[in-house]
Amino acid sequence: MMKKKFTTIKIKTLLFALFLFFGKFYSQTNNGAVGINTSSPNLNSVLDVVSGSNNKGILIPRITELQRNAIVINKPADDGLTIYNTTEDCFNYWSLADNEWKSVCGQLGKAVFTVDCSVSKAMGSYVKGKELTNSNYLTISVNVTKVGNYTISGTTSNGYNFYGTGVFLNTGVQKVQVLGQGTPQAIQTDNVTLEANGTEVTCTPAISISVLSPAGTYTMSCGSATVNGVYKVGTALSASNTITLPVNVSAIGSYTITTNTVDGISFSGSGTFTATGNQNITLSGTGTPASTSVKTITMTSDSQGGVSTTCSVNVIVVIPKKTVLHLGLETAYGYSAYTGPSRSLMDSPSNFGTTASSIVKYEGFNHISLGNSPSSAAVQTALNNKPDIVIIGYNYTPDATEAGYIANYLNKKGVVIALTDNTVAAQNLFLGIFSDPTISTSYGAGAGSVYALANTDDPILNGPFGDVRGKNWGEDASTTVNVSGLTSGFIPYSYAQPINNTTTRTGISGLRNNSLNFVWFGDGGFLSNENANGSQFNSNTIEPFVAPGSGGYFPVQKSAYGYAGNGFSAGSMQVQNSILFANMIAWAIQKSEFNGINTQ
């Protein structure tokens, strides 16, 4: 036993001596450099590793990012400490200067993110033999938990693929466009195989793409296209936002219809016609409206055979709420539109609302009323608060000071609808607004007078609630006021002469100024109807306003109105006061949104 122990000690001593000898030899002859698989290591290195058969590499410690972060750093001594980060799939080193771990893949390193397959999809149309363009891409929804570089690819076995790379600068949910390239070779449905930063992403179900046959021949019926759904600023389009487009197919095949992008939104549709003749196709919308402007969308088809391949359709975006200041007597008759059927007409979502069937796409009103006799100070304060629209009704009578406040409001692009049958009130308004001493007002015909409307193409005479050009409006229980001495800049809606009266009268009884947002009719009871349900009041000479609650307070004509005269029998005329008023409100909403006092 002792002999064996002695021999072991001798061997260890010999090996140690040899190590010291060769270490001293290499240190002396190679200036301290150590070589592995080389007898002449690089003189500028302390370690030179050579792959003897040129088929091997070097491994440094491989640890996760959590394990890396658990290292207790000795800052001066560990400057340059290097590891391979398996979480990031990249080399990292400790930087004393920046006091942090750095990635050699870039300062940010590789991003960490997950893919939400449920809202990721392929965009564009895919046709056999047609090379992919910039409209062919994958939109991939990701949730980034660590910023950095990313590479996303999608592959198919049908001659085309997708590839995208970039940098995520923020964490959170984001969407990435991964462009396609190549040419589909066969008519089939392809499942896309996704990879994200080199790791396969399993989507169930997979993102699928239908490759279509070559295009057929068809024409679009542009004038019959229907825009579906509600469009709202800041709200992304959903499955309900579509365009129904009638087409006439003369040769079967695939179809692809795309649109331009207008203010953040666009539409597209593709498929295969299996029969000729008239049929409807659906274009699906995408994007988020950025403004309330009307968007003219141009549709472009891939139809063959030299037929027309473009047409347009307008998309209406919901206008946000507006504040209305009411000045007038608050009674059930609805003189100021703060009460009565005229208020119900304004607040009806089928008239002004956000539903797909709303006549005017609009979020509704904030109503404020100062009543019939506010102080001048109250009027000034209210107008300085910049209401979007002001409606004046019976029997608010502004003095010269208040008329000046209203004029100042109009000059700042405020909107005023004035329905007044007091000569002093009308005189003050017109003189305050237009500063023309030649303007005068006078009383005209009385209750039950019927006035012919001009046959002029105008947004109030011919608006979303009806075309009343060449028709009539009716005076309520009082006496019509007429204005004379007007110069240019006015669109007359009606004159002083009633159709059912032979007494000669001059002046204008209804108008719109074409530079200011100002509409006026010379009757304070223009909106009068004491029936809360808005149904027609049984009288030929009073309450000409009709908007039945049973129809959603939709405005209709009063079918029997007017006193007898000038060849007309009592109640034989029809008047359109409620339709005119609804068109006024639609006009006022547009003006206040796009050219109003609060327009930015």
Side-chain angles (χ1 to χ4, degrees):
M1 292 293 292
M2 288 183 67
K3 183 178 181 180
K4 184 174 181 180
K5 182 177 180 182
F6 176 76
T7 302
T8 302
I9 293 172
K10 283 175 59 180
I11 293 172
K12 288 181 178 179
T13 302
L14 177 62
L15 290 174
F16 181 67
L18 289 171
F19 175 77
L20 291 176
F21 173 78
F22 283 111
K24 181 178 181 182
F25 172 77
Y26 277 113
S27 175
Q28 290 174 345
T29 61
N30 296 301
N31 197 27
V34 175
I36 297 178
N37 289 328
T38 179
S39 60
S40 56
N42 189 296
L43 295 180
N44 290 326
S45 69
V46 294
L47 176 65
D48 187 353
V49 182
V50 176
S51 175
S53 302
N54 294 321
N55 61 355
K56 294 182 180 180
I58 185 172
L59 287 174
I60 68 171
R62 293 163 290 177
I63 61 177
T64 67
E65 192 161 300
L66 287 175
Q67 292 169 329
R68 182 204 70 181
N69 293 340
I71 297 174
V72 179
I73 295 295
N74 183 336
K75 294 181 181 180
D78 292 343
D79 192 20
L81 180 66
T82 303
I83 58 98
Y84 184 79
N85 185 339
T86 57
T87 304
E88 187 186 50
D89 195 23
C90 196
F91 289 100
N92 293 174
Y93 68 94
W94 174 260
S95 169
L96 176 63
D98 291 335
N99 193 34
E100 65 179 2
W101 287 97
K102 296 288 190 181
S103 169
V104 301
C105 297
Q107 188 171 3
L108 293 175
K110 285 191 176 181
V112 178
F113 60 96
T114 56
V115 174
D116 185 352
C117 295
S118 66
V119 290
S120 298
K121 57 185 177 180
M123 307 299 292
S125 62
Y126 299 78
V127 178
K128 176 185 176 182
K130 183 178 179 181
E131 187 175 5
L132 271 57
T133 68
N134 287 341
S135 65
N136 300 106
Y137 59 89
L138 303 178
T139 176
I140 305 296
S141 179
V142 298
N143 186 7
V144 180
T145 55
K146 178 181 178 295
V147 298
N149 304 295
Y150 71 86
T151 298
I152 300 175
S153 63
T155 58
T156 75
S157 58
N158 196 16
Y160 64 99
N161 299 292
F162 303 85
Y163 180 82
T165 186
V167 179
F168 292 125
L169 298 176
N170 301 289
T171 58
V173 177
Q174 305 172 46
K175 286 191 176 180
V176 180
Q177 289 188 4
V178 183
L179 288 176
Q181 56 186 353
T183 303
Q185 301 298 309
I187 302 170
Q188 62 186 40
T189 298
D190 299 317
N191 288 334
V192 180
T193 300
L194 281 181
E195 280 194 1
N197 277 358
T199 302
E200 184 173 345
V201 178
T202 301
C203 289
T204 305
I207 296 175
S208 64
I209 297 172
S210 296
V211 177
L212 307 173
S213 62
T217 302
Y218 58 100
T219 56
M220 300 181 288
S221 299
C222 302
S224 301
T226 303
V227 178
N228 307 304
V230 175
Y231 298 80
K232 210 173 165 184
V233 171
T235 300
L237 271 56
S238 66
S240 65
N241 298 111
T242 61
I243 296 174
T244 301
L245 178 64
V247 296
N248 189 352
V249 181
S250 55
I252 63 174
S254 69
Y255 67 85
T256 298
I257 298 178
T258 58
T259 75
N260 55 338
T261 298
V262 181
D263 203 23
I265 66 171
S266 62
F267 297 80
S268 63
S270 60
T272 301
F273 295 122
T274 58
T276 59
N278 293 317
Q279 48 200 285
N280 289 335
I281 60 176
T282 299
L283 310 183
S284 298
T286 187
T288 302
S291 76
T292 54
S293 62
V294 177
K295 300 167 200 342
T296 300
I297 302 292
T298 301
M299 299 175 283
T300 302
S301 78
D302 64 346
S303 175
Q304 305 300 300
V307 300
S308 175
T309 58
T310 61
C311 64
S312 298
V313 66
N314 287 334
V315 174
I316 309 298
V317 179
V318 171
I319 294 176
K321 275 189 173 185
K322 303 299 176 192
T323 296
V324 180
L325 173 64
H326 298 271
L327 296 166
L329 190 61
E330 296 172 12
T331 72
Y333 296 106
Y335 292 136
S336 73
Y338 189 71
T339 55
S342 56
R343 167 71 178 268
S344 298
L345 179 151
M346 293 177 67
D347 290 342
S348 170
S350 59
N351 293 332
F352 302 96
T354 60
T355 68
S357 59
S358 299
I359 304 299
V360 175
K361 302 299 187 293
Y362 176 60
E363 286 190 316
F365 299 94
N366 294 317
H367 294 278
I368 300 172
S369 178
L370 293 184
N372 192 51
S373 303
S375 67
S376 295
V379 173
Q380 182 182 34
T381 299
L383 294 176
N384 286 343
N385 288 333
K386 301 197 296 187
D388 298 288
I389 302 166
V390 174
I391 301 177
I392 298 172
Y394 178 87
N395 184 34
Y396 170 61
T397 55
D399 59 22
T401 299
E402 292 167 20
Y405 297 151
I406 294 170
N408 184 55
Y409 168 79
L410 279 167
N411 288 327
K412 293 179 179 178
K413 297 187 177 181
V415 180
V416 174
I417 298 171
L419 308 171
T420 63
D421 56 16
N422 180 287
T423 55
V424 174
Q427 183 90 2
N428 286 337
L429 273 177
F430 279 96
L431 290 180
I433 294 169
F434 303 110
S435 301
D436 185 350
T438 65
I439 296 175
S440 62
T441 58
S442 61
Y443 286 114
S449 299
V450 176
Y451 297 89
L453 292 164
N455 198 3
T456 304
D457 192 11
D458 178 88
I460 290 174
L461 297 179
N462 184 18
F465 292 91
D467 183 356
V468 298
R469 290 174 295 178
K471 297 182 181 179
N472 310 309
W473 72 270
E475 162 69 39
D476 185 37
S478 58
T479 306
T480 308
V481 167
N482 303 311
V483 60
S484 301
L486 298 171
T487 55
S488 59
F490 295 90
I491 300 170
Y493 288 155
S494 61
Y495 293 93
Q497 185 65 51
I499 65 171
N500 55 339
N501 194 295
T502 58
T503 301
T504 301
R505 291 182 171 87
T506 60
I508 294 175
S509 59
L511 59 86
R512 177 170 70 87
N513 184 267
N514 54 15
S515 59
L516 299 175
N517 300 326
F518 178 66
V519 172
W520 173 82
F521 276 88
D523 178 21
F526 194 93
L527 309 178
S528 180
N529 184 349
E530 66 186 81
N531 289 330
N533 62 9
S535 297
Q536 181 166 299
F537 184 74
N538 187 22
S539 171
N540 298 332
T541 58
I542 63 172
E543 304 185 25
F545 190 91
V546 185
S550 57
Y553 294 99
F554 183 81
V556 296
Q557 68 178 4
K558 185 165 185 178
S559 59
Y561 201 71
Y563 54 72
N566 197 26
F568 293 94
S569 59
S572 65
M573 291 150 280
Q574 295 79 45
V575 292
Q576 319 291 327
N577 292 41
S578 58
I579 298 172
L580 275 167
F581 177 70
N583 284 344
M584 287 181 211
I585 296 300
W587 164 85
I589 291 169
Q590 290 288 320
K591 285 294 184 181
S592 61
E593 175 67 15
F594 300 111
N595 191 37
I597 195 169
N598 294 306
T599 302
Q600 296 182 356

